[in-house]
Amino acid sequence: MKDFFRVCGVLVILSACLMSFTPPCDGGNILVFPLDGSHWINMKVLLVELHAWGHNLTVIRASNSWYIEEKSPLYTSISLTMEESMENYFDDFVKENIKREGASSLTVFKLIKNFNSMVLEVHKLWVNMTAKLFDDEKLVKSLHDAKYDLVLTDPGVGTGVFLAKYLKLPLVLNVRWITSGEGHFAIAPSPLSYIPAPGSGLTDKMNFIQRVKNILFQSVIEYQQRFVLGPAYNTLCDKYIEGECNIMSLLQEADIWLFRSDFVFDFPRPTMPNVVYIGGFQGKPAQPLPADLEEFVQSAGEHGVIIMTLGTLVNALPEDLADEIASVFAKMSQKVIWKHKGKRPSTLGNNTLIVDWMPQKDLLGHPQTKAFVAHGGTNGVQEAIYHGVPVLGIPLFFDQFDNLLRLQERGAGKILELAHANRRSFEQAINEVLHQDSYRQNIQRMSRLHRDQPIAPMDQAVFWVEYVIRHKGAPHLRTEAYKMPWYSYYSLDVLLVLMTAATVLLLSTFAVFRFLCCRQRRKSKTKQH
Amino acid sequence: MKDFFRVCGVLVILSACLMSFTPPCDGGNILVFPLDGSHWINMKVLLVELHAWGHNLTVIRASNSWYIEEKSPLYTSISLTMEESMENYFDDFVKENIKREGASSLTVFKLIKNFNSMVLEVHKLWVNMTAKLFDDEKLVKSLHDAKYDLVLTDPGVGTGVFLAKYLKLPLVLNVRWITSGEGHFAIAPSPLSYIPAPGSGLTDKMNFIQRVKNILFQSVIEYQQRFVLGPAYNTLCDKYIEGECNIMSLLQEADIWLFRSDFVFDFPRPTMPNVVYIGGFQGKPAQPLPADLEEFVQSAGEHGVIIMTLGTLVNALPEDLADEIASVFAKMSQKVIWKHKGKRPSTLGNNTLIVDWMPQKDLLGHPQTKAFVAHGGTNGVQEAIYHGVPVLGIPLFFDQFDNLLRLQERGAGKILELAHANRRSFEQAINEVLHQDSYRQNIQRMSRLHRDQPIAPMDQAVFWVEYVIRHKGAPHLRTEAYKMPWYSYYSLDVLLVLMTAATVLLLSTFAVFRFLCCRQRRKSKTKQH
């Protein structure tokens, strides 16, 4: 009976697709400006799909790009000469961050300062490169001549956003972070009473002190946007764009926001009609493992396997911590696969396999995998949700704490902060995640909810890119209310006028009454006399 | 090539459905509390679909229901004895509204008063009926025993919402209007600077005066909710519901809002993750007309056909106006099909066919149909958009002006107010809609946008009803921030504390400086002496 419904369902959806809805457009011509590093990993997943749908892709990259290949069967590339590599900035930043000096206020302040100067330097690099691009008449002419249908960009840096405006093309964002802070804050009302500022380490349920912290945190981000990052981009507005603009107003003009999140992962919040949630769009069923890895995994028997990775930016933990973790693993009955590029820990057990690289998605989807020790990057967390594997998170920087917090809040993961990580705390935490049933139950519930969508997030992403091509934009889905002055947007001018009117009315009524009373009293007095 | 993409698209969607996404659930057990009148028409469309998907439906209706049949192959019904018929209230209201006394302030005030007292009476009727339902122990026991999966209701009156809370069942709303005002205002941030209050006749682009009007309008609605309708429902909260509640807090607890609108029709605005837009879900390709009607339509030749209807509540226009309209039609080269139940207009031409009922959707979808003269009810307007037929609207009451305004703003329709309708204005308006190409182009663009959705609105509706059954609710999609006191929700308490702190800091710095200066001055003076 269940199968009957399943088949009927598919047939109805199929017929609906065939009968009433527009088919995918013929191959479009898409100009892509991706962000380097881990962001490229998921942009590439989207490009693979768009390529498979017959779209023609052109990718703009830095000549010294870190991850983005010059030659690819997926796309044609345009390489721009960049003086310095982004990688250098990140390397220094990463080294500072994993020093484990303890979480004193001084350290936190230093880390924030480091982060801000790193971010500013990276944005300045890109602003300079964008200016050079716009000054290169030959290149600009070739971009015009190519007659692109739209610009697809990750607005973590602003170049793609400016490019769309400069070439007068529709704009689709593949986004979670904009130049400053989280994407939603640019377009959707975000009451700070229940929407945690990014990086604040808060949830959607805050007490008074937490709400104070949240507002202060968001103020710092606003300050950074208004007085540090914003001005860095203003030179582009002044020199190359007709009419007034700033990076925020250009973001607000985007046609579609493909948002790398969803409300299984994130806390519910107001959103806008042109935001499409594609969280976990990279998720797909696991493929078989290479034979040797499969053999290792199976050799774990009923105890299963733990996998551990700290992402793409960090090669290895500090040696002492790596040794402590290795000694904990050595005592466990599980087998462990650990992506680790540093010095081989001296305490490594026979049950632990050190690897340079691992097929992370396929391992997460393997029924033998019992827990995932991870840094909390968006890709890894989304894959853990997709496959329903509980997470022990060791957040290092950026949004990693916030990502892991969302799992911890749902009882689907546990956070171990680097500053407090040692043999004892790690052992306790990994055993809790492995043996307390609720972790597995909760992440598997998240997995069921995440997979239960009317269409897959990747199909959504492709649909809306093609929608923008078909209709040459989607202005009807975005409000232009942001163009109002802020006091009008918040109706402060109207409230001021209404309150003044009410006060004048009240005072004049009072004055008239007083006048009448006085006259009456004077009359009575005259009578008495 | 296009066909190739079409087939590929469908196959990918098909495989995505088969591989990674949950199949429709087995037949659920759904308790339905619909709203009578035209709202029942589209609730029934949804019930037909849910029935086809194998769900078991129970409909609660008033024993003297206006539209909702007691016996139906779609559902089992439960009839509640109601002392008075809603129809009586509406009849008086309709008669007052189509009197055409001109739009003086006095008339407008009278109409608003009429509307408010009619609304309050209708709500009171339902509050009494709900109380009687809850007092009927046998009925309540049978509702408990039936083990429903969810309550599906139109929250135009609150009974279904209370029923879900009383029976502790998940709640799905088929909604555009809640007990007071438009649904979004209950859950999504709604800045009054660009979101027009329902009934205000405003758009999303307002000048200062219009923004003042909008705030005043919304204040009246809030007043009505807080001091008139709210209290009518509070008796139910006090007597039957555990813990504190009011109609607004119960609405905010709904799992899914199936919203009868979309952003092709409506102005863009903030929304929430549990709002699913199903605007135009009743739309489907036109069926062939009955032979005699088809013959009449074809006899119009190249000039085509105009169709006219004023909906379900109004049988006929005032006689004088009907005569004037008939005489305009008589002069036209088009043929006319007019749904009209009153006295046959004396000026009726040979080209005009008067009917009691017409297959409206099939006529709108007929290629011969050139214009639609309508009152602007949601169903008709959505069908006009689906089929791309320009509209000449004569709004009578409720949301009809607002609906038509959305077409007029997009250049897809024109409004002729009843107070200004006469032979000359009607002739001018109908000719403009017929012969000015932009009307047809604009509504056909709206039609293309409306039909271009990743899945059909009706499939969305069914999917999300089944989603709530599968997961026993959808609490992760709704925020609980509404439960905060209003001053916390708007962060006023935090701002007050921060401002006080800043003031104290400023004053103490000033005091310290003054103290130091004085001491310095005193010292110098002492020295001088």
Side-chain angles (χ1 to χ4, degrees), chain B residues 1 25-26 123 165 212 233 473 511:
Chain B
M1 192 62 181
C25 55
D26 290 339
H123 282 285
K165 183 76 179 177
V212 172
Y233 283 98

Side-chain angles (χ1 to χ4, degrees), chain B residues 148-216:
Chain B
Y148 294 107
D149 291 304
L150 61 85
V151 171
L152 171 65
T153 191
D154 184 323
V157 296
T159 306
V161 177
F162 275 91
L163 200 58
K165 183 76 179 177
Y166 192 66
L167 299 176
K168 298 189 171 69
L169 290 174
L171 176 60
V172 175
L173 306 177
N174 171 8
V175 56
R176 182 143 175 255
W177 302 102
I178 51 176
T179 48
S180 78
E182 203 246 11
H184 279 113
F185 282 79
I187 49 164
S190 305
L192 288 170
S193 52
Y194 71 99
I195 302 192
S200 63
L202 296 167
T203 72
D204 62 340
K205 284 170 197 67
M206 297 179 247
N207 60 30
F208 180 78
I209 299 294
Q210 288 172 322
R211 288 191 288 117
V212 172
K213 185 182 165 191
N214 197 40
I215 285 192
L216 294 178

Side-chain angles (χ1 to χ4, degrees), chain B residues 110-145:
Chain B
K110 207 174 109 194
L111 289 181
I112 292 178
K113 209 171 134 251
N114 269 349
F115 176 71
N116 283 344
S117 70
M118 185 269 292
V119 165
L120 183 61
E121 288 308 319
V122 168
H123 282 285
K124 276 188 185 160
L125 267 185
W126 282 105
V127 167
N128 291 340
M129 209 174 84
T130 312
K132 263 200 261 170
L133 193 165
F134 291 165
D135 285 334
D136 184 338
E137 285 177 22
K138 209 173 128 195
L139 177 56
V140 168
K141 187 177 178 307
S142 77
L143 290 175
H144 272 297
D145 291 348

Side-chain angles (χ1 to χ4, degrees), chain A residues 1-2 5-6 8-14 16-27 49 52-54 187 189 191-194 204-206 208 211-212 215-216 263-264 266-273 285 386 410 445 448-457 459-460 463-464 467 470-471 473 475-482 484 487-491 493-495 497-498, chain B residues 1-2 5-6 8-14 16-27 49 52-54 187 189 191-194 204-206 208 211-212 215-216 263-264 266-273 285 386 410 445 448-457 459-460 463-464 467 470-471 473 475-482 484 487-491 493-495 497-498:
Chain A
M1 192 63 181
K2 209 162 181 174
F5 276 111
R6 187 193 294 249
C8 289
V10 170
L11 287 179
V12 167
I13 292 173
L14 177 67
C17 294
L18 274 170
M19 283 190 324
S20 28
F21 291 87
T22 315
C25 55
D26 289 340
E49 196 74 13
W53 283 85
I187 48 164
L192 288 170
S193 51
Y194 70 99
D204 62 341
K205 284 170 195 68
M206 296 179 248
F208 181 78
R211 288 192 288 115
V212 172
I215 286 193
L216 293 178
F263 294 106
V264 172
D266 222 330
F267 305 122
R269 58 129 44 245
T271 171
M272 290 300 281
Y386 181 87
R410 273 68 168 240
R445 178 177 155 79
R448 280 195 302 278
L449 288 171
H450 170 72
R451 285 167 177 243
D452 196 3
Q453 299 185 46
I455 63 166
D459 293 334
Q460 286 261 29
F463 176 87
W464 287 103
Y467 183 94
R470 280 195 290 274
H471 304 289
H476 62 290
L477 296 180
R478 75 172 177 246
T479 174
E480 297 198 357
Y482 317 114
M484 286 182 181
Y487 51 84
S488 300
Y489 181 91
Y490 292 108
S491 295
D493 48 358
V494 174
L495 291 178
V497 166
L498 288 180
Chain B
M1 192 62 181
K2 210 164 180 172
F5 275 111
R6 185 193 297 249
C8 289
V10 170
L11 286 180
V12 167
I13 291 172
L14 177 67
C17 295
L18 274 171
M19 284 192 323
S20 26
F21 292 85
T22 315
C25 55
D26 290 339
E49 196 73 14
W53 282 87
I187 49 164
L192 288 170
S193 52
Y194 71 99
D204 62 340
K205 284 170 197 67
M206 297 179 247
F208 180 78
R211 288 191 288 117
V212 172
I215 285 192
L216 294 178
F263 295 106
V264 172
D266 221 330
F267 305 123
R269 57 129 46 243
T271 170
M272 290 300 280
Y386 181 87
R410 274 67 169 241
R445 180 179 153 76
R448 280 196 302 280
L449 288 172
H450 171 72
R451 286 167 177 243
D452 197 3
Q453 299 185 45
I455 64 166
D459 293 333
Q460 285 261 28
F463 176 87
W464 287 103
Y467 183 93
R470 279 195 290 275
H471 303 290
H476 63 291
L477 295 180
R478 73 172 180 247
T479 175
E480 297 199 356
Y482 318 115
M484 287 182 182
Y487 50 84
S488 299
Y489 181 90
Y490 292 108
S491 295
D493 48 357
V494 174
L495 292 178
V497 166
L498 288 179

